[in-house]
Amino acid sequence: MYLTTEVAKQVNIHPNTVRLYEEWGYISPAPRSSSGYRMFSDVHLFQLQVIRTAFRCEICLGNIRAKARAIIRASGNEDFDLAYQLSKSYLTHLQKEYAHALEAIAIVEEWLDGRVVTSTQTYSRKEAARALEVTPEVVRNWERNGLLIVPRLANGYRAYTENEINTMKIIRTLRTAHYSMSAILRLLNKTEQSKILNVKDVLDTPGDHEDIISVTDRLTHSLEEGIESAHELIRLLKPKSKESMDIRKD
């Protein structure tokens, strides 16, 4: 049995965090000693290991955080079989997100290979938004964040050409795959400097001048770490799952 401070030290978290996890149902309720102290067991220690592993993936997009919490809650209820099954589903979800991110990179690489456009046709913002099946406000937001610089006609109206339309297709593709605005801006700036780029590296490598870095500024790297954590969750939970117990009985 462990006191709160002892079990917290085992998993390198603050004792108050252990109390919060118990309050939130992330670990089983701890019995009290005759003197009123919480007493934790190896089951609690295991549940804390599950929490630490699940929360190692910091991405909150695409229901990733919600799926991690579902695993933790199942483990906190000592339903380790459900937690194991949810971990396998979690891994599949992360792998799909990763494939989506790589697919977006492939689309960008194709665009870079054939990005020269000679058409002189122009579009209004509303027409450009309609062509991309987004709202004009989304396009305006991209402009405000520096992702898109639109030339103007003599009368001052913005004129979206095929070049801007293609750039917006790339922005839309990368945003759909959950790349951050900062990562996309970094890539677009690099494409102005060179035609030969490792797109994955550019999207995944923040510049020295970027003071605040989020996990989606290094999306593929963060997803790779998440997939590794999901594999670890499966390894942790499998020995306690019904599936594993049935195999041992046979």
Side-chain angles (χ1 to χ4, degrees):
M1 303 299 289
Y2 309 91
L3 295 172
T4 305
T5 52
E6 292 171 334
V7 77
K9 187 176 181 181
Q10 290 267 10
V11 291
N12 196 31
I13 59 177
H14 195 278
N16 287 343
T17 304
V18 176
R19 298 184 187 101
L20 277 175
Y21 286 162
E22 183 186 5
E23 180 183 331
W24 294 342
Y26 288 179
I27 62 176
S28 305
R32 302 275 183 150
S33 67
S34 56
S35 54
Y37 289 107
R38 289 179 175 85
M39 299 302 296
F40 296 92
S41 67
D42 286 334
V43 171
H44 295 104
L45 184 58
F46 177 79
Q47 290 169 331
L48 288 168
Q49 290 171 334
V50 169
I51 296 168
R52 294 285 283 168
T53 305
F55 278 163
R56 201 176 297 154
C57 180
E58 298 176 347
I59 302 176
C60 299
L61 301 169
N63 293 325
I64 289 174
R65 199 67 165 177
K67 288 180 180 294
R69 283 199 189 95
I71 295 166
I72 290 166
R73 290 191 183 281
S75 172
N77 289 329
E78 298 187 31
D79 190 343
F80 299 118
D81 184 55
L82 176 59
Y84 174 64
Q85 298 302 328
L86 290 172
S87 294
K88 292 197 291 184
S89 172
Y90 179 57
L91 173 61
T92 300
H93 183 75
L94 285 168
Q95 288 171 331
K96 285 180 179 177
E97 289 284 349
Y98 186 64
H100 193 191
L102 294 182
E103 182 184 6
I105 288 171
I107 292 170
V108 173
E109 289 172 337
E110 288 178 10
W111 170 69
L112 288 175
D113 288 340
R115 58 179 160 168
V116 177
V117 179
T118 57
S119 172
T120 58
Q121 182 176 354
T122 62
Y123 306 84
S124 67
R125 179 185 284 154
K126 188 177 291 185
E127 290 169 335
R130 189 183 305 121
L132 269 79
E133 298 181 346
V134 297
T135 66
E137 182 55 38
V138 167
V139 177
R140 189 180 290 109
N141 188 43
W142 293 343
E143 292 174 34
R144 279 198 297 259
N145 282 279
L147 301 182
L148 196 61
I149 299 174
V150 184
R152 292 179 183 263
L153 299 173
N155 59 11
Y157 288 107
R158 288 176 175 81
Y160 297 78
T161 68
E162 290 295 329
N163 280 315
E164 282 71 50
I165 296 292
N166 283 341
T167 299
M168 286 192 289
K169 286 178 181 176
I170 295 307
I171 297 169
R172 182 190 60 187
T173 298
L174 293 172
R175 288 297 289 160
T176 302
H178 302 315
Y179 286 96
S180 70
M181 293 278 197
S182 296
I184 297 170
L185 181 59
R186 187 188 318 137
L187 175 68
L188 293 174
N189 287 339
K190 289 285 186 181
T191 61
E192 296 297 321
Q193 302 167 18
S194 173
K195 291 185 178 180
I196 302 173
L197 293 174
N198 185 318
V199 175
K200 184 174 183 291
D201 283 351
V202 173
L203 286 169
D204 219 37
T205 310
D208 295 335
H209 64 284
E210 297 181 46
D211 296 327
I212 301 174
I213 308 298
S214 73
V215 290
T216 51
D217 290 333
R218 305 178 68 221
L219 181 62
T220 52
H221 176 77
S222 299
L223 285 169
E224 286 164 357
E225 287 185 333
I227 289 169
E228 185 180 335
S229 296
H231 278 296
E232 189 174 336
L233 279 170
I234 290 169
R235 286 194 296 270
L236 270 173
L237 290 160
K238 186 174 182 179
K240 292 184 176 291
S241 71
K242 184 176 181 296
E243 178 181 311
S244 180
M245 292 175 184
D246 288 344
I247 292 171
R248 287 199 293 269
K249 284 178 185 177
D250 292 342

